[in-house]
Amino acid sequence: MFRLAAPVLILLSFLTSAAAQTPPATTAPAAQTTPQAKPTAKKATTKPKATAKPAEPATAGPCGVGVIAGTGDIFVVQKIGLTVFGNDYAEVPVSWGLDDLVFARVRAAAGNTPVRRITYAKGALDSYYHPKSGLFRNRREELSNLIRQVAGNAGCERYLVVMRSEGQLDGSNQSLSGVGIFSRGVGLISYAYVFAYIGVTWVDGRTFEIMKGPAVTFEGVMKHMADNFVSNELLQKVDKSMFPETAADAASNTALRDTTRDFLTKRLDKILPPYFAQ
């Protein structure tokens, strides 16, 4: 019996010591995966840093060219009768985006030259368009002072000012100003035209003095005379039915609005590019 018990005791002793030295199989993987799970969860919840929005070029940074669009969104409805008693004139505020159109065409003409629109209070230009009566008027000085006030602290190197201008209608003693429509004559011998009298001026941003515009050449003058000999480029004939019954009706006349905007676009696209070619 003793001889059989001794080998059995030795074998049990060996197995017990071996089992004590072997680590449990289930705890090793858990010890390895637990540290890896934390970085993954942290990475998934990390939010990207917010990026700052770039400054709008039209309202921030150095200003080379400030644009003052000054039609005031005013549309003129004018009747020219056979006598002075048949004449009538009215300025109608419209929401046709005429000043927005002016700035858009300036930006297109400027090409790579950055421009900034200068905003101003409603009615800020009224004193120039409707001055107090007097014997003498210095338009250059008036405009210079007006742009100084409108520009404020914009700090632009120069300002391109696009405003309503004025001219005399051929074959009459009547003048036309700004953007509008006029009718002339009576009954079957009457006709209607839309017109766009627009003036463009450079103003120095430091002194606010009026600057020279594009150089006038002999060839340019002759071409202008030839163009106007055939037809006045400031006028576009339209159907008489487009003339509003009352001046106030013009504001809701979509056909008149679209025709006027198209004609004004053509005028601006012709007169603006030379100001950025010098």
Side-chain angles (χ1 to χ4, degrees):
M1 284 291 291
F2 182 79
R3 291 179 180 178
L4 292 172
V8 172
L9 292 173
I10 294 171
L11 179 60
L12 289 174
S13 176
F14 176 79
L15 292 174
T16 302
S17 62
Q21 296 175 6
T22 305
T26 56
T27 57
Q32 296 174 359
T33 56
T34 300
Q36 295 177 356
K38 290 182 179 179
T40 303
K42 186 176 181 180
K43 183 177 182 181
T45 58
T46 302
K47 295 182 179 180
K49 293 182 179 180
T51 56
K53 293 183 179 180
E56 293 290 340
T59 58
C63 178
V65 177
V67 179
I68 297 175
T71 71
D73 288 309
I74 294 295
F75 186 78
V76 174
V77 178
Q78 189 168 352
K79 289 182 180 179
I80 301 175
L82 297 178
T83 66
V84 67
F85 300 104
N87 296 339
D88 190 34
Y89 177 93
E91 294 183 355
V92 182
V94 294
S95 56
W96 296 354
L98 299 182
D99 278 342
D100 293 339
L101 176 61
V102 168
F103 179 68
R105 302 326 302 162
V106 170
R107 188 163 52 184
N112 295 327
T113 303
V115 296
R116 179 191 300 177
R117 185 171 181 175
I118 306 300
T119 58
Y120 54 89
K122 185 177 180 180
L125 308 179
D126 288 353
S127 62
Y128 183 81
Y129 288 129
H130 302 289
K132 295 180 180 180
S133 58
L135 294 177
F136 302 102
R137 185 184 182 190
N138 189 332
R139 288 179 175 269
R140 291 176 65 89
E141 185 178 349
E142 284 183 29
L143 184 59
S144 176
N145 293 333
L146 179 63
I147 300 308
R148 186 191 300 272
Q149 296 173 9
V150 170
N153 59 355
C156 299
E157 295 179 7
R158 52 182 176 162
Y159 296 92
L160 188 73
V161 184
V162 184
M163 298 180 67
R164 308 195 302 263
S165 64
E166 186 175 294
Q168 187 169 341
L169 177 63
D170 294 340
S172 76
N173 61 354
Q174 297 297 306
S175 61
L176 302 174
S177 63
V179 180
I181 186 171
F182 77 87
S183 68
R184 190 177 187 185
V186 178
L188 296 176
I189 57 172
S190 65
Y191 48 86
Y193 283 84
V194 294
F195 57 87
Y197 283 76
I198 297 294
V200 184
T201 309
W202 277 123
V203 177
D204 188 289
R206 295 167 298 177
T207 64
F208 290 93
E209 293 181 357
I210 307 301
M211 302 169 61
K212 290 183 178 180
V216 178
T217 63
F218 177 77
E219 292 80 4
V221 172
M222 294 303 295
K223 184 178 185 306
H224 177 75
M225 292 177 61
D227 291 342
N228 284 302
F229 181 78
V230 178
S231 62
N232 190 334
E233 60 183 6
L234 304 177
L235 312 176
Q236 177 177 302
K237 192 172 184 179
V238 296
D239 192 275
K240 290 187 297 183
S241 63
M242 197 172 291
F243 192 85
E245 289 287 336
T246 66
D249 291 340
S252 58
N253 190 327
T254 56
L256 183 57
R257 176 199 64 193
D258 295 343
T259 299
T260 301
R261 283 178 57 89
D262 289 344
F263 182 57
L264 179 58
T265 298
K266 293 176 183 177
R267 287 291 305 134
L268 293 170
D269 287 350
K270 183 171 184 178
I271 64 179
L272 287 172
Y275 285 83
F276 291 94
Q278 52 183 350

